[in-house]
Amino acid sequence: PTLLNMEARGVLTWEARFEQLIEFKKENGHCNVPITYPPIPALGSWVQNQRKDYKRAIRGLKSPMTPQKSKVLEKLGFQW
């Protein structure tokens, strides 16, 4: 499947979404993607899910958020 097809279905890896977040920050100066962001509709939801996953992780609950992911997000300037 092509990246465009995967984007259309909203199926991208964590790393691919992170790359989109890097581009968003370059263009906007921050990582606070609105929940409705027309250029990349799924990015706002992805950002919101990172916050939810982080909160679950720090509470000791099962979460896909890893210390490595939280570190790279924080280095980018991500606000929980």
Side-chain angles (χ1 to χ4, degrees):
T2 67
L3 185 60
L4 186 58
N5 287 344
M6 292 173 74
E7 172 63 26
R9 291 181 304 159
V11 181
L12 288 181
T13 64
W14 190 93
E15 292 79 9
R17 289 280 181 226
F18 181 71
E19 291 296 325
Q20 291 177 333
L21 182 61
I22 290 170
E23 290 304 312
F24 177 89
K25 183 176 181 186
K26 284 180 187 173
E27 294 172 12
N28 298 280
H30 59 79
C31 296
N32 297 321
V33 182
I35 194 68
T36 53
Y37 180 61
I40 309 172
L43 187 59
S45 295
W46 182 84
V47 165
Q48 186 177 44
N49 286 335
Q50 300 316 295
R51 291 188 176 109
K52 287 180 188 175
D53 292 344
Y54 178 77
K55 288 174 185 167
R56 289 183 57 81
I58 62 173
R59 284 192 232 129
L61 302 172
K62 186 174 179 177
S63 169
M65 180 59 63
T66 64
Q68 295 80 10
K69 288 178 181 177
S70 63
K71 282 180 188 172
V72 296
L73 285 166
E74 288 170 359
K75 275 182 100 169
L76 186 61
F78 194 86
Q79 296 177 335
W80 303 109

